[in-house]
Amino acid sequence: MLPSSPDASLDEFAVFGGSPQFLDALHVGRPNVGDRRRFIERIEQMLDNRWFSNGGPFVREFERRVSEVAGARHAIALCNATVGLEIVTRALGLSGEVIVPAFTFVATAHALQWQQITPVFCDIDPRTHLIDPARVESLITPRTTGVLGVHLWGAGCDVDALSEIARRRGLRLLFDASHAFGCTFQGRPIGSFGDAEVFSFHATKFVNSLEGGAIVTNDDELARKIRLMKNFGFESFDAVTYVGTNGKMTEAAAAMGITSIESMDDIIATNRRNHQRYARGLQGVPGIRVLPYDERERLNYQYVVLEVDPVESGLHRDQLQRVLWFERVLARRYFYPGVHRMEPYRSHFPHASLLLPQTERLCSRILSLPTGTAVDEASIDVVCALIRTAIGRAAALSQRLGHPATPLPGPPYDSTSSR
Ligand SMILES: *Cc1c(COP(=O)(O)O)cnc(C)c1O
């Protein structure tokens, strides 16, 4: 039992030696498996085909499916989204500086830096967590060649405002749509905006191809160039017309990707149900807010994002995370400490944090909670009760936990560990 009454001992919390609430850890980003039998059938088919890579039938089918969902003329399947971002920025000839949010997964910035393009960090709108178009313009310099927005949590950036700035200032506009497969912005499918958009189909994403990604675009010439670049620049058997890399998706990955797309509606239904259950279960807990989704859009609900207000709740986000981890609820601090505080960006821009007050604030407040098809409703109820109890006893907990910067237990509990 959880020590919810005000005079119960705090020793019941696992962080102080009590038994954890969960035998098996709850993870953020446990892969969705989809129809196992269909996947195995496709793998058998792939072996029979003896066609494992280089634009085989599964990759072509996957590309067709992706372009349908994304509402874009072209989809080019790739080994992952990071290579996709690298290829598309190169195909568009970006150089110098590109404006990008710091509240994102580090790959967004790395894909630029890897090509000696300087990521210039832009602050976010605190309400949506997305790049703030009002701040983009002041970051443009003579070296700026593009803007790379991130549709975080599957919610679309302010595409119209960004397009207007890009058009007026002669910049390229790209989107890291890693979180946003199957989502819409103002009713239009994400995938058709800017010069191009990039999806990730990494194992932890909503739809996965084990590892994988895709660039989508309506620009025929750009698509042609990307197809060459992801295959060493080969135009035909012996003709190389560009410097290229190897960004190809395998047939096995595409087989998983197609199988995953077939389960899309079921995964969305589960994610949405989970999100609603968390939102209801945490309603009214002081200082705790579950980031809402815009119900007018089609979304994938892949992330349950918690904002912890340390003053109102009485617990710092890191203290709450510590309590949860010991109960084997492996909530994650996405995207702590912020890309601008990771190397090499921290050394390049030692004062970036001064220009990113909203990013800084969120980086100290956000927790991503376990969801997806591997998390059932009963578990969500336990997590909600746990958070509610912890916040109810925040003062005593906070005092006993002390400074939150103590390391978490690790490596993460595996599913075989027992009480
Ligand atoms: C996952 C992710 C990436 C990287 O995708 P990979 O396919 O793993 O390379 C990039 N940006 C964001 C926002 C992501 O969440």
Side-chain angles (χ1 to χ4, degrees):
M1 264 314 285
L2 288 161
S4 55
S5 81
D7 45 313
S9 163
L10 292 176
D11 293 349
E12 303 288 322
F13 282 103
V15 68
F16 300 129
S19 307
Q21 291 295 312
F22 291 94
L23 266 168
D24 297 331
L26 293 187
H27 297 265
V28 173
R30 267 253 155 129
N32 296 315
V33 175
D35 186 335
R36 188 183 291 251
R37 197 184 45 80
R38 284 296 289 136
F39 175 59
I40 303 292
E41 277 171 14
R42 288 188 166 110
I43 293 297
E44 296 277 8
Q45 179 74 53
M46 177 193 81
L47 298 175
D48 291 344
N49 291 346
R50 289 188 185 261
W51 194 344
F52 298 166
S53 188
N54 292 39
F58 288 120
V59 163
R60 277 177 285 147
E61 182 181 348
F62 183 62
E63 290 181 337
R64 216 161 38 239
R65 299 278 195 118
V66 169
S67 73
E68 266 168 33
V69 172
R73 211 156 47 239
H74 304 280
I76 300 111
L78 300 159
C79 55
N80 62 59
T82 306
V83 164
L85 288 167
E86 287 166 14
I87 290 177
V88 73
T89 45
R90 199 175 271 252
L92 284 169
L94 296 189
S95 62
E97 297 173 358
V98 169
I99 297 168
V100 64
F103 193 63
T104 179
F105 182 60
V106 70
T108 316
H110 276 358
L112 299 169
Q113 188 68 46
W114 192 252
Q115 307 173 79
Q116 266 107 58
I117 297 170
T118 304
V120 172
F121 297 120
C122 183
D123 211 2
I124 47 177
D125 179 331
R127 199 176 39 83
T128 61
H129 301 183
L130 303 170
I131 189 168
D132 185 352
R135 293 174 181 278
V136 167
E137 195 126 18
S138 65
L139 298 172
I140 298 173
T141 75
R143 282 170 46 81
T144 309
T145 56
V147 177
L148 172 51
V150 182
H151 302 306
L152 213 60
W153 319 133
C157 298
D158 188 343
V159 168
D160 298 325
L162 293 171
S163 301
E164 193 276 322
I165 295 169
R167 197 166 45 243
R168 190 157 41 74
R169 303 297 297 261
L171 303 176
R172 295 296 198 170
L173 180 60
L174 288 173
F175 293 100
D176 178 343
S178 291
H179 289 189
F181 188 65
C183 300
T184 61
F185 175 71
Q186 294 181 346
R188 295 169 286 173
I190 286 179
S192 54
F193 300 123
D195 290 292
E197 308 205 45
V198 180
F199 294 117
S200 171
F201 301 108
H202 181 258
T204 56
K205 302 303 201 271
F206 154 60
V207 160
N208 84 84
S209 63
L210 312 174
E211 286 259 12
I215 301 170
V216 287
T217 180
N218 287 320
D219 180 333
D220 301 342
E221 183 51 32
L222 181 64
R224 200 185 70 82
K225 207 162 168 180
I226 290 166
R227 283 198 183 281
L228 294 174
M229 284 186 162
K230 68 117 200 299
N231 188 30
F232 315 101
F234 275 111
E235 188 109 43
S236 62
F237 273 114
D238 304 311
V240 171
T241 48
Y242 283 111
V243 59
T245 183
N246 182 357
K248 298 190 299 297
M249 175 179 270
T250 66
E251 286 286 278
M256 184 63 175
I258 297 163
T259 310
S260 196
I261 287 179
E262 285 171 347
S263 301
M264 238 172 89
D265 292 338
D266 293 339
I267 304 170
I268 291 178
T270 303
N271 284 348
R272 182 154 181 267
R273 185 203 66 194
N274 287 356
H275 182 267
Q276 285 174 340
R277 200 154 185 105
Y278 272 117
R280 259 201 314 276
L282 293 170
Q283 209 159 37
V285 180
I288 296 290
R289 171 175 179 258
V290 177
L291 189 75
Y293 283 106
D294 185 343
E295 290 289 337
R296 292 167 303 183
E297 305 289 356
R298 177 186 162 88
L299 297 167
N300 61 36
Y301 302 89
Q302 175 70 356
Y303 300 89
V304 174
V305 180
L306 204 66
E307 208 175 317
V308 183
D309 181 325
V311 177
E312 261 189 70
S313 73
L315 278 186
H316 189 278
R317 183 272 316 271
D318 293 353
Q319 291 176 316
L320 180 60
Q321 187 195 26
R322 192 168 174 77
V323 169
L324 292 173
W325 271 57
F326 275 84
E327 306 291 348
R328 298 182 184 158
V329 179
L330 307 182
R332 301 287 304 278
R333 302 186 289 185
Y334 287 175
F335 294 93
Y336 181 83
V339 176
H340 61 296
R341 287 184 180 270
M342 298 174 181
E343 292 296 356
Y345 315 109
R346 188 167 60 167
S347 299
H348 289 180
F349 312 109
H351 306 299
S353 59
L354 300 175
L355 298 171
L356 303 168
Q358 301 303 340
T359 304
E360 287 276 297
R361 185 175 156 281
L362 275 188
C363 283
S364 71
R365 289 176 176 228
I366 295 294
L367 270 184
S368 179
L369 296 178
T371 182
T373 53
V375 178
D376 62 20
E377 291 178 279
S379 300
I380 292 173
D381 292 345
V382 174
V383 176
C384 290
L386 191 50
I387 294 173
R388 190 176 282 278
T389 306
I391 301 301
R393 310 210 54 202
L397 266 176
S398 180
Q399 191 180 27
R400 186 152 163 199
L401 283 164
H403 194 274
T406 29
L408 290 163
Y413 294 110
D414 69 13
S415 53
T416 55
S417 61
S418 65
R419 283 176 223 238

